[in-house]
């Protein structure tokens, strides 16, 4: 019950939403910190203040987040009121009244990720990437949401987002033959398979083969990735792309007339919905807009649906600068 209360309060304790009195925000933020740290002593000390907060009438926002928080406070107050036998503080059970697990059970149990669960790299780490990223998020004035809970990931915009590596380059020019062939690695002598490209000289003539550094490109991309670090809201069909917002957009797959370059949406186009539409991100929309300006596309596809938030492209700037220096 404490966990649900903390999760319901997350939009307000994270700063993503406003409209809750500072006194309530303070105690609920302390609750989430205590739960994340597994600090039973702090949870016990918060008990009376939580009970008083849940019992007091509150003026909360009349929206989905506000109603969820109100329901969680009401449920907590009902549970506390139903406890007719008050035990001494020293004898109170832990907040989590589920079965006690031994070390092996704890290791196997699936625990929802909470802010602060990740361990920073040791001080001796040559490049403390996670620490730099967390500090960048913590300094942001846009109040980034540090964790998307399991419940939230199963609703709203999150099921629409794929984690497939759609950006990985696998395109080969239609006049070039790509074949997987055996190869002996020089460094360890292991037998592996690699792509061998048969490039007809009469098609391209003399030229240069350009290899794409797939593994090392992400630090550079972090220097200007456009995203919405705060809450995504449903903004529906759009007449035009709003440059002040970022998120995901449902569009028709634009026709790509060129043979010498892959489709600008990559392998996303391989999985359209029943109406031939795909969900894309802000960088995709910006790329399509540039291709229109340069005359490679006739027009930007219509945006049939969208989930967006306030635009930002400097959230990971400290990480980019540190990675570039390293």
């Amino acid at each position: 019950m404490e966990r649900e209360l903390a999760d319901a309060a997350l939009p307000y304790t994270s700063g993503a939403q406003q409209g809750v009195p500072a006194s309530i925000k303070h105690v609920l933020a302390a609750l989430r910190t205590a739960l994340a740290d597994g600090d039973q002593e702090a949870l016990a000390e918060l008990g009376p203040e939580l009970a008083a907060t849940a019992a007091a009438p509150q003026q909360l926002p009349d929206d989905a987040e506000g109603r969820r928080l109100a329901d969680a406070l009401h449920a907590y107050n009902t549970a506390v009121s139903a406890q007719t036998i008050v035990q001494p503080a020293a004898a109170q059970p832990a907040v989590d009244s589920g079965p006690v697990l031994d070390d092996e059970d704890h290791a196997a149990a699936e625990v929802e990720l909470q802010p602060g669960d990740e361990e920073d790299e040791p001080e001796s780490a040559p490049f403390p990437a996670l620490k730099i990223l967390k500090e960048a998020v913590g300094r942001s004035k846009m109040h980034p949401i540090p964790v998307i809970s399991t419940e939230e990931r199963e609703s709203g915009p999150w099921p629409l987002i794929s984690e497939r590596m759609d950006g990985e380059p696998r395109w080969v020019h239609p006049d070039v033959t790509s074949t997987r062939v055996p190869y002996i690695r020089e460094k360890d002598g292991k037998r592996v398979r690699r792509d061998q490209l048969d490039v007809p000289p009469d098609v391209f003539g003399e030229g240069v083969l350009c290899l794409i550094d797939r593994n090392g490109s992400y630090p550079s991309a972090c220097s200007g990735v456009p995203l919405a670090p705060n809450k995504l809201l449903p903004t529906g069909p759009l007449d035009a792309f709003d440059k002040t917002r970022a998120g995901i957009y449902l569009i028709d797959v634009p026709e790509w007339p060129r043979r010498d370059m892959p489709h600008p949406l990559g392998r996303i186009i391989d999985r359209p919905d029943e109406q031939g539409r795909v969900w894309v991100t802000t960088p995709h929309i910006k790329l399509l807009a540039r291709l229109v300006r340069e005359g490679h596309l006739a027009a930007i596809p219509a945006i049939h649906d969208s989930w967006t938030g306030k635009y930002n492209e400097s959230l990971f700037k400290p990480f980019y600068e540190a990675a570039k220096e390293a």
Side-chain angles (χ1 to χ4, degrees):
M1 191 164 293
E2 282 85 357
R3 178 73 63 192
E4 166 57 23
L5 185 54
D7 288 345
L10 180 59
Y12 303 102
T13 55
S14 67
Q17 295 277 17
Q18 304 297 325
V20 169
S23 57
I24 300 179
K25 187 185 300 183
H26 175 77
V27 66
L28 293 178
L31 170 64
R32 189 164 191 87
T33 300
L35 287 170
D37 295 341
D39 191 339
Q40 300 296 333
E41 184 176 347
L43 287 170
E45 292 177 356
L46 278 171
E49 191 173 359
L50 276 174
T53 300
Q58 305 292 351
Q59 292 292 330
L60 301 175
D62 187 19
D63 53 22
E65 290 82 4
R67 288 190 289 272
R68 181 186 176 187
L69 179 56
D71 291 342
L73 286 168
H74 176 72
Y76 185 88
N77 180 52
T78 301
V80 171
S81 301
Q83 294 178 353
T84 55
I85 302 176
V86 180
Q87 301 178 5
Q92 286 184 356
V95 172
D96 184 359
S97 58
V100 178
L101 306 177
D102 58 25
D103 290 341
E104 292 184 0
D105 289 331
H106 273 297
E110 183 178 349
V111 180
E112 183 181 334
L113 182 67
Q114 298 296 330
D117 283 355
E118 314 90 346
E119 293 183 3
D120 288 336
E121 298 87 348
E123 293 297 329
S124 60
F127 184 64
L130 180 58
K131 182 179 180 181
I132 295 171
L133 285 171
K134 289 170 66 176
E135 289 176 350
V137 171
R139 287 200 302 267
S140 175
K141 296 180 180 180
M142 298 191 71
H143 307 293
I145 301 176
V147 170
I148 307 299
S149 68
T150 300
E151 181 180 348
E152 289 174 319
R153 287 198 300 269
E154 295 174 351
S155 62
W158 307 111
L160 304 174
I161 300 172
S162 168
E163 294 182 359
R164 296 183 180 92
M165 294 293 289
D166 288 310
E168 183 181 359
R170 287 186 179 177
W171 179 85
V172 176
H173 191 285
D175 295 334
V176 172
T177 303
S178 176
T179 309
R180 298 289 285 178
V181 298
Y183 178 82
I184 306 298
R185 285 198 307 217
E186 294 181 2
K187 64 178 181 179
D188 54 17
K190 288 188 176 180
R191 185 182 178 87
V192 296
R193 298 185 71 83
R194 283 190 172 180
D195 292 326
Q196 177 176 289
L197 300 180
D198 180 14
V199 183
D202 58 332
V203 176
F204 298 102
E206 295 293 332
V208 177
L209 176 63
C210 178
L211 299 179
I212 300 175
D213 180 14
R214 296 187 293 195
N215 293 330
S217 61
Y218 71 92
S220 176
C222 286
S223 64
V225 55
L227 51 78
N230 36 59
K231 186 178 180 62
L232 293 180
L233 299 174
T235 43
L238 300 176
D239 294 331
F241 170 59
D242 185 350
K243 296 181 180 180
T244 67
R245 303 186 69 81
I248 59 174
Y249 309 84
L250 181 63
I251 65 171
D252 297 312
V253 176
E255 184 177 349
W256 184 240
R258 301 186 58 160
R259 295 179 69 252
D260 60 337
M261 290 291 289
H263 196 286
L265 296 182
R267 287 185 287 157
I268 290 178
I269 65 173
D270 296 336
R271 295 185 303 277
D273 63 12
E274 295 80 3
Q275 296 175 295
R277 301 170 177 176
V278 292
W279 284 95
V280 300
T281 63
T282 303
H284 292 117
I285 295 291
K286 293 186 69 175
L287 173 59
L288 295 179
R290 194 181 83 185
L291 293 173
V292 170
R293 291 196 304 270
E294 296 177 356
H296 301 293
L297 284 177
I300 297 180
I303 299 175
H304 301 286
D305 197 3
S306 63
W307 289 74
T308 61
K310 191 174 180 181
Y311 183 100
N312 175 276
E313 63 176 20
S314 62
L315 184 65
F316 299 126
K317 184 178 180 180
F319 172 78
Y320 159 71
E321 292 177 341
K324 183 179 178 181
E325 181 180 353

